[in-house]
Amino acid sequence: MTWTIRAAFGLVVAGAAMALLQLWLGLFDPDVFVKTMITFGVLLALVVAWNLVLRERRDLARLKDKSKLD
């Protein structure tokens, strides 16, 4: 498992935990909570995009190396 998958899963778990804490305990002001959730969403999108870039780079290197195709 790559670091990007672990990071994305960690962001999802942290966002879910924060949402549940806000729902049940109301720990944060509404604007702070919204800003934090938007930040988690943007970070998750960046990690997923980086994972796609790494996967594409690895697949392209595999296609360029003809000996690995056999």
Side-chain angles (χ1 to χ4, degrees), residues 42-68:
V42 169
L43 289 174
L44 180 63
L46 288 173
V47 168
V48 169
W50 188 251
N51 186 23
L52 292 174
V53 166
L54 292 177
R55 184 183 300 170
E56 183 67 25
R57 184 182 296 166
R58 185 175 53 240
D59 290 344
L60 187 61
R62 192 177 304 141
L63 282 175
K64 285 183 178 181
D65 187 8
K66 299 293 183 186
S67 64
K68 289 185 180 179

Side-chain angles (χ1 to χ4, degrees), residues 3 8 13-14 17 19 21 27-28 30 33-35 37 39 41-42 48 51 54-55 59 70:
W3 69 270
V13 169
L21 286 173
L27 296 176
F28 308 104
F33 175 70
V34 169
K35 289 176 184 178
M37 294 308 287
T39 303
V42 169
V48 169
N51 186 23
L54 292 177
R55 184 183 300 170
D59 290 344
D70 294 330

Side-chain angles (χ1 to χ4, degrees), residues 18-19 22 28-42:
M18 249 183 123
Q22 180 66 18
F28 308 104
D29 289 332
D31 21 323
V32 172
F33 175 70
V34 169
K35 289 176 184 178
T36 305
M37 294 308 287
I38 290 171
T39 303
F40 277 136
V42 169

